[in-house]
Amino acid sequence: MRHILLTAGLLLALGACAPALQDDTPSRAATKHSTVLPPMKVFASPHPVPPDRSNRDIARDFLDLSFELESGRALETFSRFEEPISIRVTGSPPPTLILDLDRLIHRLRAEAGIDIGRVRGDTANITIEAVTREQIRRHLPKAACFVVPNISRLSQYRSNRHSRLTNWALLQKREKLAIFLPSDSSPQEVRDCLHEEIAQAIGPLNDLYRLRDSVFNDDNVHTVLTGFDMLILRTYYAPELHSGMSRMQVAARLPAILSRLNPRGNQIASHPARATPRAWISAIQTALGPGTGPRQRVSAAQESLRIAKAQGWTDHRRAFSHFALGRLTQTINADTSQNQFLAADEFYRRTPGTELHRAYSASHLAAYAISRGQGEQALHILQPHLATAERFENAGLLATLLMLRAEALDLTGRTDQARAVRLDSLGWARYGFGADWAVRAKLLEIAAISPTKGPKG
């Protein structure tokens, strides 16, 4: 399932630099209805980047993704669909859902070679039911969306939740699954759910924090299927594999499969990453998930950082611990928070393939500079990351970066350019944040960062 996280989501609270925010959801009370919004912007062609890792490392990742659940429970057998896969949509889908679903299906056919298509009938292998966020959280409070085997409606889930019918560990072959996603979230959140839940419905069931370039990672940084993900799914449906195989049987066939599908990976040296301890995962989930008080969140983030240091990590997981702590201390101590974001950016900088991660850090570093009237510094921080947010199809992040850039331009006296950039941000914000009131609230939130516009400006 896709988890609800406070830190890597679309609505980046910048509380240390503006009036303190209680959560990541803009307030309706803060909106100005006079702001005329331009049409929604959407992304054109995807730009997946091929994985840059050894096939030996990818094989290990494939096995850990395919033979474990997110809970850490081992799976005895490999399972997948053995026939062409059909998908139907029910419930109350928002207008953008079908367009984004069709784009995803096209990618799965073209990039992963999977025989999959959308149908309009009453039955399908995968049923996507669009329901409200409240309905989803009533069943799974920590989930933004989720997938379940052998049912087709949310009404069937409660009575079958703990039965053999919906037990992934007992699944021998996939034939019928249901995906439940929110009908009242932003277009981007709905699309992100489509990518993550369909990927798990047809492919691996596990998430691994050690993966820096994948949606199969609970940090929610990547929100659309990457080049690595498509290789994993293409491997999942290789003719050499079939449902019912054991981990040992799959492992024996992976080298030849990956050599055929990813010959470049045979020329790259292996750099295996250490496994992620359950204690670190638990600390991160406590820090960033719902249902925890502010003090407990900060304590959990500090614990995740302690574990990361003890593990000797210098990769994106160490950076993510710093990022989480920075995010959670913004309203407590702006300077401490800034130091954590700087540390996160430094560890991301040392880790290849973390451009998108650095773009998130940049939003906070630039906000800090703006809050201190340092417009040129903020522009310098933001400039490299605008193209990154667009390349990874993250409209919420792109809109945030553009809004920050507009404030920085205002600080440097370039008001006409700031006005044009701010207008450009609104089209992306409509996709990233959804409702008009949410877009207006985000615009006001970021404007309040500037010392010339905030409460004291």
Side-chain angles (χ1 to χ4, degrees):
M1 66 181 178
R2 180 174 177 81
H3 291 82
I4 300 169
L5 289 186
L6 294 181
T7 187
L10 302 176
L11 307 179
L12 299 176
L14 303 166
C17 314
L21 302 177
Q22 297 304 309
D23 56 38
D24 283 352
T25 305
S27 168
R28 289 178 185 268
T31 62
K32 287 183 180 179
H33 297 286
S34 59
T35 306
V36 177
L37 300 181
M40 179 188 297
K41 291 188 176 183
V42 295
F43 296 100
S45 302
H47 302 283
V49 177
D52 60 350
R53 298 204 292 286
S54 161
N55 277 344
R56 181 177 297 180
D57 296 343
I58 294 173
R60 183 202 65 231
D61 295 337
F62 183 93
L63 292 170
D64 289 347
L65 286 170
S66 303
F67 285 93
E68 289 182 18
L69 297 176
E70 290 183 40
S71 64
R73 181 179 179 180
L75 295 173
E76 298 298 325
T77 58
F78 180 79
S79 71
R80 70 179 190 185
F81 288 98
E82 296 297 342
E83 305 294 338
I85 305 168
S86 57
I87 299 180
R88 68 174 183 142
V89 178
T90 64
S92 303
T96 56
L97 186 152
I98 296 298
L99 292 175
D100 283 329
L101 175 59
D102 286 345
R103 287 190 70 211
L104 174 56
I105 288 172
H106 176 76
R107 285 194 62 196
L108 289 170
R109 296 180 68 91
E111 297 174 40
I114 297 173
D115 189 353
I116 185 171
R118 183 166 63 88
V119 298
R120 301 178 185 274
D122 295 332
T123 61
N125 299 119
I126 299 173
T127 298
I128 298 172
E129 185 176 12
V131 298
T132 66
R133 283 176 289 186
E134 175 58 29
Q135 287 176 286
I136 290 174
R137 293 177 191 179
R138 200 179 301 150
H139 292 83
L140 290 176
K142 296 183 179 181
C145 41
F146 63 104
V147 58
V148 183
N150 296 321
I151 64 172
S152 57
R153 298 189 306 276
L154 188 59
S155 60
Q156 298 172 324
Y157 179 63
R158 185 178 295 276
S159 59
N160 291 289
R161 181 175 180 178
H162 300 294
S163 72
R164 295 177 61 85
L165 187 71
T166 59
N167 190 331
W168 285 105
L170 301 178
L171 200 64
Q172 298 293 314
K173 185 175 74 169
R174 303 186 200 183
E175 297 176 315
K176 181 173 73 172
L177 299 100
I179 293 171
F180 307 110
L181 49 75
S183 60
D184 52 354
S185 289
S186 71
Q188 180 163 320
E189 178 64 21
V190 174
R191 180 209 63 187
D192 297 351
C193 280
L194 281 172
H195 278 248
E196 181 160 339
E197 302 308 325
I198 288 179
Q200 292 200 315
I202 65 177
L205 300 170
N206 196 13
D207 282 320
L208 297 172
Y209 275 102
R210 71 172 183 251
L211 301 178
R212 53 181 163 73
D213 57 350
S214 175
V215 302
F216 295 110
N217 185 328
D218 273 337
D219 64 10
N220 287 7
V221 171
H222 285 278
T223 56
V224 298
L225 291 172
T226 66
F228 171 84
D229 298 330
M230 287 298 183
L231 175 61
I232 291 294
L233 291 173
R234 182 176 283 275
T235 304
Y236 214 84
Y237 284 84
E240 296 94 328
L241 304 181
H242 59 79
S243 295
M245 295 178 73
S246 68
R247 181 180 180 122
M248 187 177 296
Q249 289 172 320
V250 171
R253 301 190 183 188
L254 280 179
I257 295 172
L258 289 171
S259 291
R260 184 180 79 250
L261 299 180
N262 186 44
R264 178 172 173 268
N266 289 335
Q267 311 305 318
I268 301 174
S270 175
H271 297 287
R274 288 186 186 179
T276 307
R278 298 301 304 179
W280 184 89
I281 294 173
S282 177
I284 283 291
Q285 291 177 343
T286 300
L288 304 178
T292 307
R295 289 184 181 179
Q296 290 83 359
R297 290 187 190 282
V298 172
S299 178
Q302 291 170 335
E303 175 65 8
S304 79
L305 183 55
R306 186 196 66 77
I307 295 171
K309 291 178 178 179
Q311 291 288 316
W313 290 341
T314 59
D315 62 5
H316 58 288
R317 292 171 294 182
R318 169 73 178 270
F320 195 56
S321 288
H322 284 291
F323 185 90
L325 188 55
R327 172 66 180 79
L328 293 168
T329 55
Q330 286 181 107
T331 57
I332 301 170
N333 188 310
D335 292 333
T336 296
S337 174
Q338 171 74 352
N339 289 335
Q340 293 300 322
F341 287 128
L342 286 169
D345 186 64
E346 177 60 24
F347 282 107
Y348 283 138
R349 186 185 62 81
R350 299 180 195 175
T351 307
T354 58
E355 297 89 348
L356 184 57
H357 303 69
R358 293 195 70 195
Y360 276 106
S361 295
S363 68
H364 294 280
L365 296 173
Y368 184 88
I370 291 168
S371 72
R372 280 147 179 76
Q374 301 167 354
E376 290 292 352
Q377 175 67 9
L379 290 172
H380 176 74
I381 293 169
L382 291 166
Q383 186 57 40
H385 304 290
L386 296 169
T388 297
E390 185 168 2
R391 177 160 56 91
F392 287 99
E393 301 186 42
N394 194 321
L397 177 59
L398 178 58
T400 299
L401 296 175
L402 288 169
M403 290 177 186
L404 290 167
R405 186 165 188 262
E407 296 305 323
L409 288 166
D410 271 337
L411 283 175
T412 60
R414 286 169 272 186
T415 54
D416 289 342
Q417 190 176 351
R419 191 177 302 112
V421 171
R422 191 173 290 111
L423 180 63
D424 187 33
S425 76
L426 297 179
W428 295 114
R430 295 194 72 181
Y431 186 86
F433 303 134
D436 290 358
W437 68 263
V439 174
R440 295 186 181 103
K442 195 64 183 178
L443 195 64
L444 292 174
E445 175 195 324
I446 290 181
I449 296 169
S450 173
T452 66
K453 299 178 183 178
K456 300 179 183 179

